[in-house]
Amino acid sequence: MEQRLAVGRSASSPNPGSPAQQDARTPQAEQRLLGNAATAAAFGGACAVDVRPDQSHAILQWRSQERLPSFLETHTEELTLSRPGVWGFFQEPWLGRAVVGHVKWPGASWRAKFTVLPSLIAKQEAEAMKEPLIAAPEDFDEDIDGVDRMVTYEFIISSAGAEKAHDPVREPLRQKLRDITEPIIRDRIAPFVRARYPKAGAVCHSMIRRYLENERRSHDTHWDIPSYVSVVVSLDSAGLDFEGGFFVTTGSGEKSFLPLQRGDTVVHQSDLLHGVHVKRGDRWSWAMWFQDSWDCSSRAESWWQLEAEAGDPVAQTLRAMRASTQEESWTWLQSAARQSFPRAQLYLGKAHEDRGATQTAAGWYESARHGGEVDACFYLGLWEQQQGNLSGAAALFQQGAQAGEGKAMAELGKAYRDGQGVPKDPSLARQWLEKAADFTVEAMYLSHLAQASPPEGSAALFLERAARMGHEEAIRKFMEPLAKAKRWEEVMPWLLRLESKAALSQFVKLRKAGVPAQPFAEFRAQRLLADLAHQGFEDARQLLQEMRSAMAPIYQEAPSPMLCKAVALQAGALYASAATLPHASPGMQVTSPMPQPVHAGSPHMVHAAPTPAPAPPTLAAQGTRPRLGVARMVSPMGRAMSTSALHAQVRHFPGAAHAPVQTVPACAWK
Ligand SMILES: O=C(O)CCC(=O)C(=O)O
Ligand SMILES: [Fe+2]
C-alpha cells in the first residue's frame, strides 16, 4: 500500500487552527502529539496530529531572516505524513510545516537538499531518550571517530553491522531506547523519508551523540558517505541549551547553523556537507541512517551515477568516495577537480600527497584554496612549512583560522607560541589555541598548558577535555591527583582509556582489591584481555584469569572477533576518503590478502583466518605507538566513516595501496 505524503498543499491542508493548537511546544500540544498518535495507532483511524509551528519557531524565524548565506535557498512546505494503518485505513500521525533548504555548490549546478521538520519529536520523547543515558555516562562508546580521530562519545541504539552495537551489558539500555525510538521511526520518520526518497529501505544505524563542555565540542565538516538518507534529531534547543550546533556548508568556511530546537529533525542525503560545532553549553542528538535496501546491504555505488556520467562534479566527487577500485576513484576525482570543483581538488591533493607527489598535491591544494575551500589552507600551510617557508605557512594558517577552520587555528596558535613565521605572541597564541580547542585534541591540551598553573578553572576544563578526547599525556595528568588521593573508583575508567599493559594490570589489581567498576568498564576490560589472549599474549591471558578468578566473568563468550576482523579494502576509497588526516598513527599490521567477504549486510567485512600474533618489537622499532583505539575503528559498515579512517591508517603500510584486499587483524599489546 502506498504511503501518502502531501507536499506543498497549503490549499488543501487543514487550517492551522487556534493559536494554542499551532504551538507545538505548549504542554497541551505535546500531549496531543503523544496522545493522538497513540490513539491513532490503537484504532488505525485517521487521527491527525497537528504540530505545525507558528512563525515564532526558531527555524521559521531563521529562514525568514534576510541574511542567509548566498549558498542557501529555502522555502516552506505544508506536510501531511501518513502511513497505512490496520485494515487499510490511513493514519495521519503528523501535520507539519517543513523548511526545505538547498545548498548550492560553487562551480556546479548541484543542489544538496535538506528538510527540517520542526517539532517532529515531542519534548517528552527527547527527554525520555536522554534520561537513561544521562544516568549511565560511562556507557558511551569511546572508540575513535573516523571523521576527526577524536573519541566518539556515541551510543548505538541499533546497527546492522557495528560491533559495538552488540554487547550484553548495555543491551537493556539499548532496548529501552529502541522502545522509545522505534515507534517514532515507524510512525513519523520513515513515512516522511520513504515518501520523499522512495528507494529508502531500512534504518541501518541509529545512535545518540553527546557534545559536552568537558568533552567533544564538534564534529568536523563531512559527508555521510555511507548513508542513503540521514536523519538528525536535536534533543536540545539552540539558543537555550547551547549555541551553535548543526551547520551546513560548502567548504568555503561559511557555516550556516540551523537553530534546531528540541525535537526538530533534519533529513538529508550524503551530498549535504555538514558538521557540528557547539560553541557553548551541552547538546545531544539522535542520528540515524537509512539504506536503499531492506537488508542494509548498501548499493551506494549506483547513487548519482547518471549525474556523474553527465559530468556533474559534485556527483563525480561523491562517486569517487564510494568507488570500488582506486582507479575508478581516481578517474572520478580527476574529472571533478579539472572542472574546478574545490572539494575534489582538495581530495585529489590528498591523494597525490599520499602517493608522495607532494609538489603536485600542493598545486591541487592551491587550486582548492583559490576556489574557496578553506580546509586546503591547513594542508598547504603544512607543505609550505616543510619547504621552510614559515611566514607563508603562517599566512595560510591565518587564512584558514580566520575562516573558522579548526586545524588551521591550532597551527596558527602554535606559530604565535613559537614565533614561527609570525612574531612570538603568547596572548594571540593562547587565543587561537583556545578557539582551536573546540576542534582538535592537541589544541585542547595545548590550551591547558597555556593557562596559569596549577590547573584550575579553564585550565582544568581544557585538561579534562583533552583527556576525555583521548590525549594520552592529558589522561595521565588528569589521573594523577585522583590516584594520589586514592580515589580509585574514579581512576578505574581512566586506566581503561590508557589501554596499556601496565594500566590494565593496575585495573585488575584494583578490581581484585575490591574497587568497584561500572559493568560496562569491566566488560570492556575483560573483552580487551580476551582479545589479546586470543592473539597469543600470555600476560593478557594471565590477567584475564586473575580477573575471572576474583570476580564473576562478565564477558564469557568466545573472544570478540573485533580484533580478528579483516577488511576488504577498496583501495580507491582510501584516496577519496573524507577522513584522511595527516597525523594518523599506524596501529595495525597488514598481513596476507583475504578472500571473499562473508558478512551479509556488511560488505566490507570478512572474518580473518587465524592470524599470527602481531609483533610489538617491529612496531616499536618503527617508532609508532600502536593504540587499541585504532583497531576499534574496524567497525563493520555501521560506522563507515570509520572505515575510511581505517583506510587512512592502512595507507601507511607498504603495498596497502596496491592490493585490493588486505587484512587488518590486530593492534599490538604494549
Ligand atoms: O550530531 C549531529 O547533529 C550530527 C552528527 C553527524 O553528522 C553524524 O553523526 O554523521
Ligand atoms: Fe553526519
Side-chain angles (χ1 to χ4, degrees):
M1 201 174 296
E2 232 173 59
Q3 290 133 12
R4 290 189 295 154
L5 168 75
V7 178
R9 325 180 304 179
S10 29
S12 59
S13 56
N15 291 327
S18 70
Q21 274 177 314
Q22 289 174 38
D23 181 9
R25 305 207 72 78
T26 61
Q28 296 88 332
E30 298 278 1
Q31 191 47 50
R32 205 169 56 244
L33 176 61
L34 291 169
N36 286 9
T39 316
F43 297 105
C47 189
V49 180
D50 187 347
V51 293
R52 279 167 296 183
D54 63 23
Q55 278 305 325
S56 66
H57 191 99
I59 200 76
L60 292 168
Q61 287 278 311
W62 166 80
R63 97 130 207 110
S64 58
Q65 77 191 37
E66 269 167 28
R67 279 181 36 79
L68 279 182
S70 56
F71 64 74
L72 252 183
E73 276 167 7
T74 65
H75 65 271
T76 57
E77 287 178 0
E78 298 289 328
L79 299 176
T80 306
L81 293 187
S82 306
R83 74 179 179 95
V86 281
W87 306 306
F89 285 105
F90 277 99
Q91 294 173 189
E92 296 202 1
W94 195 79
L95 297 174
R97 180 173 297 128
V99 171
V100 179
H102 287 98
V103 173
K104 296 180 283 178
W105 285 95
S109 55
W110 193 271
R111 301 278 182 272
K113 179 175 179 171
F114 65 91
T115 310
V116 185
L117 303 165
S119 308
L120 185 67
I121 312 302
K123 197 173 157 193
Q124 293 97 322
E125 290 170 319
E127 276 162 7
M129 289 175 74
K130 277 173 65 178
E131 190 216 31
L133 289 167
I134 289 172
E138 305 285 345
D139 278 7
F140 275 71
D141 284 308
E142 296 189 18
D143 56 336
I144 302 297
D145 192 288
V147 171
D148 51 25
R149 303 261 315 125
M150 294 193 282
V151 178
T152 55
Y153 291 108
E154 58 192 25
F155 183 91
I156 312 288
I157 301 171
S158 61
S159 178
E163 190 67 51
K164 58 188 184 178
H166 306 285
D167 60 79
V169 180
R170 296 181 296 174
E171 192 48 29
L173 185 47
R174 255 183 235 113
Q175 190 53 50
K176 198 177 220 174
L177 288 162
R178 282 199 286 266
D179 289 345
I180 301 170
T181 52
E182 278 171 8
I184 298 175
I185 294 176
R186 185 194 61 213
D187 294 340
R188 279 169 265 164
I189 293 175
F192 176 79
V193 167
R194 296 196 187 114
R196 177 145 291 178
Y197 304 98
K199 287 187 194 151
V203 173
C204 298
H205 193 73
S206 165
M207 67 176 163
I208 305 232
R209 281 184 177 280
R210 70 181 191 208
Y211 303 84
L212 307 182
E213 297 263 29
N214 59 352
E215 252 172 37
R216 178 178 273 280
R217 308 303 295 147
S218 60
H219 199 74
D220 206 2
T221 304
H222 65 282
W223 272 323
D224 288 356
I225 288 299
S227 162
Y228 182 62
V229 177
S230 296
V231 179
V232 175
V233 180
S234 189
L235 300 179
D236 295 295
S237 295
L240 288 173
D241 307 301
F242 65 91
E243 295 298 333
F246 186 96
F247 64 81
V248 297
T249 181
T250 57
S252 63
E254 199 174 0
K255 294 170 179 167
S256 187
F257 285 89
L258 310 183
L260 301 175
Q261 303 299 290
R262 186 169 288 163
D264 289 356
T265 301
V266 187
V267 181
H268 64 89
Q269 288 194 285
S270 44
D271 58 343
L272 186 77
L273 196 61
H274 64 285
V276 173
H277 178 198
V278 182
K279 300 172 185 173
R280 179 196 63 79
D282 293 345
R283 173 178 184 267
W284 295 59
S285 63
W286 169 31
M288 76 212 82
W289 293 348
F290 284 75
Q291 282 306 350
D292 57 341
S293 64
W294 291 94
D295 62 356
C296 297
S297 58
S298 170
R299 299 203 312 269
E301 311 84 59
S302 59
W303 305 340
W304 305 307
Q305 175 75 17
L306 292 180
E307 293 86 342
E309 278 166 6
D312 188 287
V314 181
Q316 290 177 344
T317 310
L318 291 163
R319 279 292 291 107
M321 293 173 79
R322 292 308 304 239
S324 53
T325 66
Q326 186 181 336
E327 286 65 37
E328 197 190 345
S329 174
W330 194 262
T331 307
W332 286 123
L333 264 191
Q334 270 178 329
S335 173
R338 287 191 183 128
Q339 292 187 66
S340 304
F341 182 52
R343 195 109 193 136
Q345 293 172 329
L346 174 76
Y347 292 157
L348 196 57
K350 285 235 36 63
H352 279 288
E353 191 178 338
D354 292 344
R355 286 186 167 187
T358 50
Q359 182 91 34
T360 317
W364 283 115
Y365 290 149
E366 180 51 35
S367 305
R369 186 180 76 97
H370 195 250
E373 176 54 71
V374 291
D375 278 11
C377 297
F378 165 74
Y379 294 107
L380 202 53
L382 289 187
W383 189 78
E384 290 293 351
Q385 233 172 26
Q386 281 157 19
Q387 306 310 300
N389 178 6
L390 296 185
S391 57
L396 285 160
F397 296 142
Q398 182 96 41
Q399 189 193 356
Q402 251 144 10
E405 204 282 301
K407 296 188 290 297
M409 289 177 187
E411 292 306 319
L412 185 62
K414 288 189 310 190
Y416 277 121
R417 182 195 61 183
D418 304 334
Q420 287 214 329
V422 281
K424 213 178 213 173
D425 189 329
S427 158
L428 274 179
R430 188 170 145 179
Q431 274 176 40
W432 281 113
L433 286 172
E434 285 183 16
K435 276 180 189 285
D438 282 356
F439 305 101
T440 83
V441 182
E442 187 193 17
M444 291 170 193
Y445 189 60
L446 292 179
S447 293
H448 156 72
L449 294 181
Q451 313 291 316
S453 54
E456 57 187 27
S458 52
L461 182 68
F462 283 126
L463 177 66
E464 180 171 357
R465 195 187 286 177
R468 289 192 178 277
M469 295 307 285
H471 193 286
E472 189 180 334
E473 221 171 295
I475 294 178
R476 292 188 191 282
K477 202 163 172 180
F478 188 81
M479 262 176 67
E480 211 177 86
L482 298 176
K484 270 205 182 121
K486 298 196 176 6
R487 286 157 64 179
W488 300 122
E489 205 174 328
E490 289 167 69
V491 167
M492 293 296 265
W494 293 101
L495 289 171
L496 270 189
R497 286 172 188 135
L498 276 174
E499 293 185 331
S500 74
K501 191 189 287 188
L504 274 175
S505 308
Q506 179 76 356
F507 185 95
V508 174
K509 203 171 126 198
L510 290 171
R511 256 331 258 123
K512 280 168 65 187
V515 177
Q518 294 288 326
F520 182 51
E522 186 141 320
F523 173 82
R524 276 166 69 195
Q526 292 196 16
R527 183 171 63 184
L528 216 52
L529 290 170
D531 283 336
L532 292 163
H534 183 68
Q535 289 171 51
F537 291 102
E538 202 41 50
D539 37 10
R541 189 184 312 283
Q542 273 163 22
L543 281 177
L544 184 62
Q545 267 162 11
E546 277 182 46
M547 223 174 154
R548 283 186 170 158
S549 59
M551 63 211 72
I554 197 163
Y555 177 76
Q556 285 175 304
E557 298 147 41
S560 144
M562 187 197 305
L563 298 184
C564 312
K565 281 230 168 108
V567 175
L569 263 191
Q570 308 296 333
L574 206 115
Y575 291 106
S577 155
T580 50
L581 295 174
H583 306 305
S585 62
M588 290 174 270
Q589 279 201 327
V590 177
T591 60
S592 56
M594 284 298 296
Q596 71 288 348
V598 293
H599 230 279
S602 53
H604 290 291
M605 301 305 300
V606 295
H607 285 287
T611 49
T618 321
L619 289 167
Q622 290 168 1
T624 59
R625 221 197 112 255
R627 282 182 60 84
L628 298 176
V630 169
R632 280 207 202 104
M633 288 197 302
V634 189
S635 109
M637 84 137 241
R639 289 301 291 160
M641 280 296 180
S642 300
T643 310
S644 34
L646 175 74
H647 294 167
Q649 300 292 318
V650 172
R651 77 192 146 86
H652 290 269
F653 290 89
H658 304 296
V661 181
Q662 303 285 335
T663 62
V664 183
C667 54
W669 169 231
K670 56 186 171 121

